[in-house]
Amino acid sequence: MMPSMDEPLLGNGVEKTGGAVLTELRKQLYLAGPLIAAWLLQNLVSMISVMFVGHLGELALSSASIATSFASVTGFSFLAGMASSLDTLCGQAFGAKQYSLLGIYKQRAILVLTLVSVVVAVIWSYTGQILLLFGQDPEIASGAGSYIRWMIPALFAYGPLQCHVRFLQTQNIVLPVMVSSGVTALNHLLVCWLLVYKIGLGYKGAALANAISYLTNVSILAIYVRLSPACKNTWRGFAKEAFRGIPNFLKLGVPSALMVCLEWWSFELLVLLSGLLPNPKLETSVLSICLNLGSLAFMIPFGLSAAISTRVSNELGAGRPQDARLATRVVMVVALFVGVFIGLAMVLARNLWGYAYSNEEQVVAYIARMMPVLAVAFVFDDLQCVLSGAAGGKRLVLVLILVRTTSSGFQLPSVSPSFII
């Protein structure tokens, strides 16, 4: 007798029906759609700054490109990676209906990330000397050192911003994140124009504009968290518990940061190394633009990654490992389709991308030759990113299965390790 559409099918384990797959797909798109828009808009902040600088001259573009890559390698990637541990912590606490823990985890993360930012700020203040030590062109190193010093305030807004985004997305609250990012991106255009051209700060103004825009974004989200009825159960004001359990947070936060950093570093180090090539101004500018475009496209799988991390952690927190497995399989199919589509778009529009950053024909032609390589790399990076998101939703469960409880008293429901694909 053939099973109905409402009954599970049997294969290599328990499989969901076509109806369940469509339901899961709708859940993921509901989460991923606004998140992809939010990440794209957030990424536009640094992208717009580089665009403004690119029209100031090749040296300014090279300096800003090196500085932005150095900032990503030494600061932003580590902060984003540590904040991604909230995908696991908050997601599973929310799935287990331990709502008060979400606010505590968020405060604890902000505290740790602020302390990390102080250390990073000290490193950034010596960027020029560090780049010279590694053989960078003296003019580019000097300009990059100046640019990144004006970016230091952005550090102290970026960490809390990432914590607020994760705090909301693990509760399936994603529309406010998208709206705040949209307001920030529009505001950033005006801020860049004022600081770069009207006030006359040049490329330094573009760097300072990042801090203003990140602060605007996190302020909007912080006001929403404190005033919205949707967060009344998860945000209960400041708690002393946030100062406890920091070592346990670091045990999850540091590996999470390394997982994100290793991927970011593999790209950003290419920009830094391009400064050692002959004609470093051209090589650095072109490679930075290509990777900037790649980063913009990467926000789509990054949004899918955040969505699957939330879905998996929620389902495991609620004790439904089979639903977590289904969610992972659905997102892999979506990611493959997205990767092929974006890769084709890169190749077909390869002769147009360069004009957004530069009026130099040599730069535009060079970028066109790089696009097919970038497209192929994106397809594989797309799949890797989504798998990382699925792993992020699972990683804490493996630890909690052994220790059963965290320092905050979060009791995990009984979960079998069979959710691992």
Side-chain angles (χ1 to χ4, degrees), residues 109-223:
I110 291 175
L111 173 63
V112 173
L113 266 60
T114 300
L115 295 176
V116 171
S117 296
V118 173
V119 177
V120 174
V122 174
I123 297 173
W124 282 13
S125 64
Y126 293 97
T127 297
Q129 295 91 317
I130 294 172
L131 292 176
L132 280 175
L133 186 64
F134 285 93
Q136 295 290 333
D137 179 83
E139 283 187 305
I140 295 178
S142 176
S146 178
Y147 186 90
I148 203 170
R149 281 194 292 273
W150 285 79
M151 283 184 65
I152 287 177
L155 268 176
F156 295 94
Y158 185 82
L161 171 61
Q162 295 302 311
C163 294
H164 277 80
V165 169
R166 262 79 179 190
F167 172 79
L168 290 170
Q169 80 178 40
T170 52
Q171 302 173 63
N172 301 318
I173 303 174
V174 289
L175 288 177
V177 177
M178 181 182 69
V179 172
S180 68
S181 299
V183 171
T184 300
L186 290 174
N187 178 68
H188 190 65
L189 280 169
L190 177 61
V191 172
C192 275
W193 179 75
L194 287 174
L195 294 179
V196 174
Y197 295 118
K198 297 299 291 183
I199 298 179
L201 290 177
Y203 69 93
K204 297 175 183 176
L208 184 60
N210 290 337
I212 295 173
S213 294
Y214 288 145
L215 182 60
T216 300
N217 202 343
V218 72
S219 297
I220 294 172
L221 293 181
I223 292 171

Side-chain angles (χ1 to χ4, degrees), residues 41-42 48 52 113 196 225 411:
L41 291 166
Q42 285 183 29
I48 289 170
F52 270 88
L113 266 60
V196 174
V225 167
Q411 187 70 27

Side-chain angles (χ1 to χ4, degrees), residues 166-359:
R166 262 79 179 190
F167 172 79
L168 290 170
Q169 80 178 40
T170 52
Q171 302 173 63
N172 301 318
I173 303 174
V174 289
L175 288 177
V177 177
M178 181 182 69
V179 172
S180 68
S181 299
V183 171
T184 300
L186 290 174
N187 178 68
H188 190 65
L189 280 169
L190 177 61
V191 172
C192 275
W193 179 75
L194 287 174
L195 294 179
V196 174
Y197 295 118
K198 297 299 291 183
I199 298 179
L201 290 177
Y203 69 93
K204 297 175 183 176
L208 184 60
N210 290 337
I212 295 173
S213 294
Y214 288 145
L215 182 60
T216 300
N217 202 343
V218 72
S219 297
I220 294 172
L221 293 181
I223 292 171
Y224 176 85
V225 167
R226 282 152 183 77
L227 300 181
S228 173
C231 299
K232 66 179 181 180
N233 293 325
T234 54
W235 175 255
R236 299 179 181 177
F238 297 99
K240 292 185 292 184
E241 289 87 346
F243 294 92
R244 303 169 189 162
I246 290 178
N248 287 326
F249 175 82
L250 291 174
K251 288 178 183 178
L252 181 62
V254 173
S256 297
L258 289 176
M259 187 170 69
V260 172
C261 285
L262 289 174
E263 182 171 1
W264 281 34
W265 292 352
S266 64
F267 287 96
E268 299 297 348
L269 285 173
L270 291 176
V271 179
L272 295 175
L273 291 173
S274 68
L276 304 177
L277 296 173
N279 196 358
K281 294 177 184 177
L282 174 63
E283 300 288 354
T284 301
S285 299
V286 169
L287 191 56
S288 175
I289 290 170
C290 288
L291 294 183
N292 209 288
L293 288 169
S295 296
L296 183 65
F298 183 72
M299 293 303 104
I300 298 176
F302 197 54
L304 290 171
S305 174
I308 187 59
S309 182
T310 297
R311 289 288 303 125
V312 168
S313 61
N314 284 173
E315 296 299 343
L316 292 178
R320 296 189 291 265
Q322 295 299 334
D323 289 349
R325 174 185 291 182
L326 174 67
T328 302
R329 293 178 175 177
V330 169
V331 82
M332 287 303 298
V333 175
V334 175
L336 181 61
F337 174 81
V338 167
V340 173
F341 181 81
I342 297 297
L344 287 174
M346 287 180 176
V347 174
L348 294 176
R350 61 187 180 277
N351 295 314
L352 303 176
W353 295 115
Y355 288 108
Y357 291 85
S358 177
N359 298 322

Side-chain angles (χ1 to χ4, degrees), residues 19-98:
V21 170
L22 291 177
T23 300
E24 176 61 35
L25 180 61
R26 284 195 294 268
K27 289 179 181 179
Q28 291 190 19
L29 292 180
Y30 172 80
L31 277 173
L35 283 174
I36 288 170
W39 290 121
L40 285 170
L41 291 166
Q42 285 183 29
N43 195 61
L44 278 177
V45 170
S46 60
M47 190 174 181
I48 289 170
S49 293
V50 174
M51 286 180 176
F52 270 88
V53 172
H55 293 283
L56 295 175
E58 197 172 43
L59 176 60
L61 177 58
S62 300
S63 299
S65 299
I66 289 287
T68 301
S69 295
F70 188 84
S72 295
V73 168
T74 57
F76 292 137
S77 62
F78 197 74
L79 294 178
M82 291 196 74
S84 71
S85 63
L86 292 179
D87 292 345
T88 303
L89 290 167
C90 290
Q92 291 179 9
F94 187 77
K97 303 187 187 312
Q98 300 281 340

